[in-house]
Amino acid sequence: MPPRTHLPVNTESVDDYLKAILELSGPPGERATSNALAGHLGVRAASVTGMLQKLAAQKPSYVKYEKHHGVRLTPAGKMRALEVLRHHRLLERFLHDCLGYSWDEVHDDAERLEHFISERLEDRIAAKLGDPQTDPHGHPIPERNGALPARPEVLLSKWACGVKAVISSVSDRDPSALREMERLGLKPGVAITVEAGTRNATLLVRIGERTEPLRLSQRLAAGISVIAANRRSRQHRKIDY
Amino acid sequence: MPPRTHLPVNTESVDDYLKAILELSGPPGERATSNALAGHLGVRAASVTGMLQKLAAQKPSYVKYEKHHGVRLTPAGKMRALEVLRHHRLLERFLHDCLGYSWDEVHDDAERLEHFISERLEDRIAAKLGDPQTDPHGHPIPERNGALPARPEVLLSKWACGVKAVISSVSDRDPSALREMERLGLKPGVAITVEAGTRNATLLVRIGERTEPLRLSQRLAAGISVIAANRRSRQHRKIDY
DNA sequence: CGACAAATTTAGCCATGCCTAAAAGTATAT
DNA sequence: ATATACTTTTAGGCATGGCTAAATTTGTCG
Ligand SMILES: [Mn+2]
Ligand SMILES: [Mn+2]
Ligand SMILES: [Mn+2]
Ligand SMILES: [Mn+2]
């Protein structure tokens, strides 16, 4: 019996770093900073530096790292990050649709389990769900080959006043914010219009077909992304919430 | 933001050791040896010694360890081991019943995922399945409180010739053996009778209502446990395969 | 330019959990 | 009772991935 071959498999930590780099480097080609990664991952900046050096050094390198100037993913690193992101979002959709989780409950379990999903399980979950396009928060699920439809979504706070928009996705990091959104009917697919009257980063909005405007706290508003009303209905016809 | 509180949570390794000790210490009170644990876990005996010392030393101790004389679980350790075993068997039942896994495919994924199942997920899976009593191989699933029905099952090789028995469970460690059993109709709940004619640990058996006896290789026979025909039908009426 | 603040990296540690090789204990068989 | 075989423990390492504290670099402002 062979002892234990410690093969160079991706660790949970490595996967979390790759996913964080994907999420923090905005437009393709941009770099993520050590500090931003540290904040996102809940570790110290010194730990980030150590990991980035390790990732940049290994044979098929996952990242391009320039000392003092941030890091970005190589194609191989991006592929791996998208694989983990696919696990995460498929799991959220699965926990929500098949196991009765509410949308504020799915994130934490998905964050842990995403690292331990075999190819077989990934495929069975996707098949069971009918190859879903988005997770419960409206985020697109990367395809098996890594394809990820780029949507022209912007933060609600950047949207022009008086122009009708549709909520495309909401941030899944704050459960209590999600519960409040649920209560207010703020979910992907719902129409929303920003009224004049911004005060201290709070927004006055009209939701769906309602007539009375509502004032959204900055915390809530900051978690909402939107796209133009007409484009969305064309691109995402298959989605139903 | 606090750095990272490395709390004394159960690690994957610790859970695997506890589960292995539970499985390898036969009747209550018996001890598991370092060598047996090493073989079961796929690590070296020296590593086992190190872990046993750590487990025996920590504050609410999980094991009673006597140098050179093996180890057994404390009540706390047994509770934790049963919790992990419950995760494992619930997962096997879930993968099999809800995601279309065959019974030879469930073990490996369950072995990995068992360590990352939250209480919430455990409960949702159990509810979705209607609180199943056994996994797909016939092994009983511990209840949430740790209760595990003791069944008087014995290895088929120990069963008396000519006395009708019912298969209670089969070993889940060898996928190819499971596929062969499937082909032969050897699964929990099926009647089986051992005929005279043991040769080199192979057994001559009659399966179900069939008339032609069949010779089982030692490999297959060693993975089958049985109970008396009448007892089982009373105790396990709810099970359907 | 030069000073300062913020970001980043280096240096040195620590815990976990595995390994090999060597030492020590246990059990059995003459 | 002792030699021998087998099991178990000790000793010394290594890899991963955190941490703190102390440099060092970068970028901005006067
Ligand atoms: Mn994660
Ligand atoms: Mn999400
Ligand atoms: Mn395991
Ligand atoms: Mn099983």
Side-chain angles (χ1 to χ4, degrees):
Chain A
M1 193 183 310
R4 169 167 295 193
T5 323
H6 235 308
L7 289 173
V9 176
N10 284 315
T11 65
E12 193 176 343
S13 245
V14 167
D15 280 348
D16 275 339
Y17 274 90
L18 296 178
K19 194 158 62 96
I21 296 167
L22 178 71
E23 287 170 14
L24 291 179
S25 43
E30 294 287 303
R31 281 168 284 207
T33 68
S34 296
N35 245 8
L37 287 168
H40 194 83
L41 291 165
V43 301
R44 297 268 118 128
S47 305
V48 172
T49 299
M51 179 62 90
L52 295 185
Q53 290 170 339
K54 206 198 69 174
L55 291 178
Q58 68 183 23
K59 325 225 267 177
S61 175
Y62 278 148
V63 306
K64 182 93 198 304
Y65 166 59
E66 283 173 277
K67 198 186 273 197
H68 289 290
H69 295 287
V71 69
R72 51 173 214 247
L73 297 172
T74 61
K78 185 168 185 187
M79 197 50 141
R80 179 61 198 165
L82 285 165
E83 162 90 8
V84 180
L85 190 60
R86 174 172 164 84
H87 290 175
H88 182 95
R89 293 180 176 172
L90 268 180
L91 277 166
E92 287 194 342
R93 172 60 69 208
F94 182 67
L95 296 174
H96 182 270
D97 289 9
C98 295
L99 289 170
Y101 279 56
S102 58
W103 76 341
D104 59 294
E105 292 174 329
V106 296
H107 181 78
D108 288 356
D109 274 359
E111 186 69 37
R112 201 158 10 87
L113 292 169
E114 64 188 5
H115 308 287
F116 309 101
I117 301 299
S118 65
E119 291 299 288
R120 174 180 287 144
L121 183 51
E122 175 185 329
D123 290 346
R124 301 294 168 97
I125 289 176
K128 175 102 183 170
L129 295 167
D131 282 310
Q133 309 275 300
T134 63
D135 75 15
H137 313 101
H139 299 118
I141 298 174
E143 294 173 25
R144 264 207 74 148
N145 63 15
L148 183 62
R151 294 184 305 188
E153 72 177 9
V154 301
L155 286 176
L156 181 62
S157 55
K158 306 282 188 216
W159 195 257
C161 282
V163 181
K164 195 171 185 178
V166 168
I167 297 176
S168 56
S169 69
V170 302
S171 168
D172 63 359
R173 289 261 180 160
D174 181 345
S176 76
L178 283 170
R179 284 190 293 274
E180 203 170 329
M181 289 185 197
E182 172 105 77
R183 198 172 52 76
L184 299 173
L186 292 163
K187 57 183 179 183
V190 167
I192 189 169
T193 313
V194 181
E195 306 284 315
T198 300
R199 280 204 310 261
N200 302 331
T202 67
L203 295 180
L204 201 61
V205 302
R206 202 148 34 190
I207 301 166
E209 302 310 315
R210 287 182 235 164
T211 53
E212 353 69 76
L214 192 74
R215 182 161 293 280
L216 294 184
S217 67
Q218 178 182 13
R219 188 176 67 113
L220 247 56
I224 299 175
S225 295
V226 298
I227 57 179
N230 55 331
R231 302 190 66 155
R232 187 181 185 286
S233 56
R234 232 176 287 133
Q235 279 188 217
H236 297 273
R237 197 162 293 162
K238 291 161 81 175
I239 304 167
D240 62 317
Y241 295 94
Chain B
M1 197 183 307
R4 169 168 296 196
T5 322
H6 235 309
L7 289 174
V9 176
N10 286 315
T11 66
E12 192 176 345
S13 244
V14 166
D15 280 348
D16 275 339
Y17 274 90
L18 295 179
K19 193 157 63 96
I21 295 168
L22 178 70
E23 286 168 16
L24 291 178
S25 44
E30 294 287 302
R31 281 168 283 208
T33 68
S34 296
N35 244 9
L37 287 168
H40 194 83
L41 292 165
V43 301
R44 298 266 119 130
S47 306
V48 173
T49 299
M51 179 62 90
L52 295 185
Q53 290 172 339
K54 207 197 70 173
L55 291 179
Q58 69 184 19
K59 324 222 269 179
S61 174
Y62 278 147
V63 306
K64 182 93 199 301
Y65 165 60
E66 281 173 278
K67 198 187 272 197
H68 291 291
H69 295 287
V71 69
R72 52 173 214 248
L73 297 172
T74 62
K78 184 166 185 187
M79 198 50 142
R80 179 63 199 165
L82 285 165
E83 162 90 8
V84 180
L85 190 60
R86 173 172 164 85
H87 290 175
H88 182 95
R89 294 180 176 171
L90 268 179
L91 277 165
E92 287 193 343
R93 174 58 69 210
F94 182 68
L95 296 174
H96 181 270
D97 290 10
C98 295
L99 290 169
Y101 279 55
S102 58
W103 75 341
D104 60 291
E105 293 174 329
V106 296
H107 181 78
D108 288 357
D109 275 0
E111 187 68 40
R112 202 158 9 87
L113 292 169
E114 65 188 5
H115 308 287
F116 309 100
I117 300 299
S118 65
E119 291 300 288
R120 174 181 287 144
L121 182 51
E122 175 186 329
D123 290 346
R124 301 294 167 97
I125 289 176
K128 174 103 183 168
L129 296 167
D131 281 309
Q133 310 275 300
T134 64
D135 75 15
H137 314 101
H139 300 118
I141 298 174
E143 296 173 23
R144 264 207 75 149
N145 62 16
L148 184 61
R151 294 184 305 189
E153 71 176 9
V154 301
L155 286 176
L156 181 61
S157 56
K158 306 283 189 216
W159 194 257
C161 283
V163 182
K164 195 171 185 180
V166 168
I167 296 177
S168 57
S169 70
V170 302
S171 168
D172 63 357
R173 289 260 180 161
D174 181 346
S176 77
L178 283 170
R179 284 190 292 273
E180 204 171 330
M181 289 185 197
E182 171 104 77
R183 197 171 52 76
L184 298 173
L186 292 164
K187 56 183 180 184
V190 167
I192 189 169
T193 313
V194 180
E195 305 284 317
T198 299
R199 281 204 310 262
N200 301 331
T202 68
L203 295 181
L204 201 61
V205 301
R206 200 146 36 187
I207 300 167
E209 304 309 315
R210 288 182 235 165
T211 53
E212 354 70 77
L214 191 75
R215 185 162 289 281
L216 293 185
S217 67
Q218 179 183 13
R219 188 176 65 113
L220 247 56
I224 299 176
S225 294
V226 299
I227 57 179
N230 54 333
R231 302 192 65 156
R232 189 183 184 286
S233 55
R234 233 177 286 132
Q235 279 188 215
H236 297 273
R237 196 164 291 161
K238 292 162 79 175
I239 304 169
D240 63 317
Y241 294 95

